[in-house]
Amino acid sequence: MFNLRRLDRYILGKYLKTFLLALALIIVIVITFDISEKLDDFLENHATLWQIISVYYLNFIPSFVILYSPLFVFISVIFFTSKLAGNSEIIAILSSGVRYRRMLRPYLYGALIVAFAILILGNFVIPRSNRTLIDFEEHYVDSKTTNFYTNLHFQAEEGIQVYAESYDVPRRTAIRFCREEMAPDGRIVRRETAGNITYDTVKNLWRCNNYTLRTIDSLHRENLTFEYNKDVDLHITPEDLNLLAMRVETMTTPELLRYIQREEMRGTGTVKTAQIELYQRLINPIAIIVMTFIGVAIAARKSRGGIGVHLAIGISIAFAFIVFMKITTVFATNGDLSPFMAVLLPQIIFSIAAAWLIYKAPK
């Protein structure tokens, strides 16, 4: 347990209360704009008021909070610290013999509390709520979600390549399907093709039309069989062919780790996106601490412009941080920057800025 003194409880209380108040106000504003934008979709798709509140917004709000929590924290710290400075409370605290670093301790406590909550929510709670949110949006907001994919090609397992010209998600049907098994030396030993395959949910098998099986033994002798209709276990599931069946934002962190391992083996192009999602969940809570200290360093000094000047400077820095995070993410997704460095680099740069501002702050 923290050894909280009166000063700690006072500043920590201000920190958490202001954060929750700012959160509530911004959420009300966001919901107002969101409703005005999507009301026609809700009415057109016959979503009930209870579904909109209990399913959509109950799951939308946590996702929004996680995404912009560093900004909310920053604005909160700027706001209440500016008021403390404007009322000369910070001057009184420092004049009473409290060291500047000691005054920062309750700010650190508040940042750690929020960061820990964001870490738990982002890794285990929000992904599950995202599943419900995406399902609702597909039914009541964007009913034209892509359900048809072309030119699917991936490695299902080590040495097994799968190809399909197209895949229809609702019908669970793939056209011009091919599955190849290769020996360790790269030689094809088994090749299955079909004009089209449809998944039978009762038998858990694929119904193959114009099914051809070609096998090659170690002596390079071929065996070819053909059947017009056949139920076959192809060792893949409909989810393997559905590119959106497992969105990274709907996976808990243990599920995401298993997904990354599988996709690395399959050689698909979704690995970087999944890795960025993983590192953002684990590293981004640090931004809560970084933004807290930057906010204190900016707002603790008394200025003529008061809170307005501090808020203007603070919001500019916060948006610069968000833009920088987006830029590094793009470089990781489309360039040579590693996903780990793409997420960590903004934290390092702004941590250095926070340390410099704290060092230069009047004490």
Side-chain angles (χ1 to χ4, degrees):
M1 288 294 294
F2 298 131
N3 183 21
L4 298 180
R5 298 185 178 180
R6 182 175 296 179
L7 174 64
D8 299 323
R9 291 194 297 270
Y10 178 69
I11 295 180
L12 181 59
K14 291 277 188 181
Y15 185 107
L16 297 177
K17 288 177 183 177
T18 309
F19 171 68
L20 294 175
L21 179 61
L23 206 59
L25 292 174
I26 295 174
I27 286 173
V28 169
I29 296 172
V30 169
I31 289 177
T32 301
F33 281 102
D34 192 69
I35 288 177
S36 64
E37 179 184 348
K38 296 177 180 175
L39 184 59
D40 291 339
D41 294 320
F42 292 151
L43 295 175
E44 182 181 346
N45 293 293
H46 308 290
T48 66
L49 179 61
W50 175 250
Q51 288 174 319
I52 294 171
I53 296 173
S54 65
V55 179
Y56 182 69
Y57 283 111
L58 196 63
N59 292 286
F60 170 81
I61 291 172
S63 302
F64 180 80
V65 170
I66 291 292
L67 185 62
Y68 294 104
S69 54
L71 177 60
F72 298 153
V73 165
F74 196 47
I75 293 174
S76 303
V77 171
I78 290 282
F79 183 78
F80 84 83
T81 305
S82 293
K83 289 193 68 176
L84 293 179
N87 296 332
S88 300
E89 293 181 67
I90 291 181
I91 295 175
I93 291 171
L94 297 177
S95 300
S96 65
V98 176
R99 297 180 63 186
Y100 188 80
R101 290 185 181 179
R102 173 65 183 83
M103 189 192 71
L104 294 178
R105 189 182 299 175
Y107 285 95
L108 177 60
Y109 293 162
L112 289 174
I113 291 171
V114 176
F116 181 75
I118 296 299
L119 184 66
I120 298 299
L121 290 173
N123 284 275
F124 300 101
V125 179
I126 301 302
R128 298 188 184 279
S129 70
N130 282 341
R131 296 176 190 175
T132 306
L133 182 63
I134 290 172
D135 184 64
F136 181 91
E137 288 179 334
E138 288 179 350
H139 283 85
Y140 298 106
V141 179
D142 186 12
S143 56
K144 298 179 182 179
T145 305
T146 301
N147 286 316
F148 189 84
Y149 305 107
T150 58
N151 295 322
L152 302 175
H153 189 195
F154 60 89
Q155 181 174 275
E157 297 177 21
E158 187 69 32
I160 298 178
Q161 298 289 333
V162 173
Y163 170 80
E165 184 178 283
S166 64
Y167 180 65
D168 189 326
V169 176
R171 297 181 179 180
R172 298 187 180 91
T173 299
I175 306 298
R176 296 182 185 270
F177 177 83
C178 177
R179 180 179 182 273
E180 295 179 342
E181 294 185 20
M182 289 175 285
D185 60 0
R187 179 173 50 87
I188 296 177
V189 296
R190 181 184 177 94
R191 190 171 191 266
E192 297 172 278
T193 61
N196 64 74
I197 60 173
T198 302
Y199 191 71
D200 189 331
T201 56
V202 177
K203 297 179 181 179
N204 291 327
L205 296 173
W206 290 93
R207 183 70 172 174
C208 302
N209 293 328
N210 296 326
Y211 175 77
T212 302
L213 172 62
R214 178 190 178 200
T215 58
I216 305 173
D217 61 21
S218 58
L219 299 177
H220 302 283
R221 291 177 299 192
E222 296 187 18
N223 182 36
L224 185 65
T225 59
F226 172 83
E227 293 190 45
Y228 184 72
N229 286 315
K230 184 175 182 177
D231 293 335
V232 183
D233 182 6
L234 296 173
H235 304 286
I236 60 172
T237 65
E239 286 73 23
D240 292 325
L241 298 172
N242 184 359
L243 298 182
L244 295 181
M246 290 295 286
R247 302 184 184 185
V248 293
E249 65 268 27
T250 66
M251 303 179 198
T252 62
T253 296
E255 292 170 343
L256 187 57
L257 288 168
R258 291 192 294 269
Y259 175 80
I260 291 172
Q261 185 178 15
R262 189 187 73 172
E263 294 305 298
E264 285 177 337
M265 181 270 297
R266 293 172 63 177
T268 63
T270 61
V271 176
K272 280 189 175 182
T273 303
Q275 289 175 332
I276 290 171
E277 175 72 19
L278 174 65
Y279 295 135
Q280 283 179 338
R281 293 181 187 182
L282 299 176
I283 297 175
N284 277 358
I286 298 174
I288 302 293
I289 302 172
V290 174
M291 290 291 103
T292 295
F293 285 142
I294 292 179
V296 176
I298 291 173
R301 61 182 69 192
K302 197 171 182 178
S303 65
R304 284 186 175 183
I307 297 177
V309 174
H310 292 156
L311 282 176
I313 297 172
I315 291 174
S316 300
I317 293 175
F319 275 106
F321 179 68
I322 293 172
V323 169
F324 190 41
M325 288 176 63
K326 295 296 183 183
I327 291 173
T328 55
T329 299
V330 171
F331 273 103
T333 305
N334 303 315
D336 297 329
L337 186 64
S338 72
F340 178 74
M341 286 306 301
V343 179
L344 186 63
L345 193 60
Q347 311 288 349
I348 292 175
I349 292 176
F350 279 82
S351 293
I352 294 172
W356 184 82
L357 288 171
I358 291 293
Y359 175 75
K360 289 292 185 178
K363 303 176 178 60

